[in-house]
Amino acid sequence: MSCVFCAIVAGDAPAIRIHEDEDLLAILDIRPFTRGHTLVIPKKHTVDLTDTPPATLAAMAVLGQRIAQAARVSGLHADGNNIAINDGKAAFQSVFHLHLHVVPRHNGDKLSFAKGMLLRRDSDREESGRLLRAALAQLDEAAQD
């Protein structure tokens, strides 16, 4: 299966390039939520958070922050930004090449990413915490082997 982002990185598919360096490419989203909606993608193909090196994620976050700052000081006049990674199909990932969204926002805009954000409950927070702590310990143990 071909990857549209790999094709863009290779120059085989069109894109409006915002930034490019040795490891990352930032492009305007072809289906933007708002004007200036930018995607930060690693040039090396990774599918999701589970197979992306931590250093790549850190670099993506740093570039995403710079683009968010640019959206504020540019003619886009953003009042803020949403920064998001959709990790897996269940999280609405539609292109399976990891990418970070930088979505410029304006006070009073009507864009809503998720309904029901005000009333959220975890029916068993203690158990959720225990499960995550155990999994982190298991990951740490595996990393030491």
Side-chain angles (χ1 to χ4, degrees):
M1 178 169 30
S2 65
C3 171
V4 66
F5 289 165
C6 288
I8 290 169
V9 167
D12 296 333
I16 305 288
R17 293 169 183 251
I18 302 303
H19 171 88
E20 185 169 4
D21 61 35
E22 187 175 317
D23 301 313
L24 301 175
L25 177 63
I27 60 174
L28 286 182
D29 194 307
I30 198 165
R31 295 179 305 167
F33 283 109
T34 64
R35 185 172 179 218
H37 179 169
T38 300
L39 303 177
V40 176
I41 61 175
K43 288 185 170 181
K44 182 178 179 203
H45 184 89
T46 60
V47 174
D48 56 32
L49 287 173
T50 64
D51 71 341
T52 303
T56 300
L57 291 171
M60 291 171 69
V62 169
L63 180 54
Q65 181 186 37
R66 289 186 58 222
I67 292 167
Q69 291 169 331
R72 287 176 179 250
V73 300
S74 71
L76 295 176
H77 305 292
D79 296 313
N81 293 271
N82 284 108
I83 306 288
I85 292 176
N86 299 334
D87 177 38
K89 187 175 182 176
F92 308 110
Q93 184 176 1
S94 59
V95 176
F96 293 92
H97 181 130
L98 186 76
H99 54 288
L100 179 138
H101 295 262
V102 181
V103 182
R105 300 298 302 270
H106 295 89
N107 291 327
D109 68 24
K110 301 298 182 197
L111 179 62
S112 177
F113 280 97
K115 303 285 184 201
M117 293 290 285
L118 296 178
L119 182 59
R120 301 185 310 256
R121 300 283 187 270
D122 182 338
S123 61
D124 194 347
R125 288 170 30 101
E126 290 298 328
E127 176 64 4
S128 296
R130 186 195 68 74
L131 290 169
L132 288 169
R133 285 189 300 274
L136 285 170
Q138 187 176 20
L139 289 170
D140 290 342
E141 186 176 303
Q144 293 175 2
D145 292 340

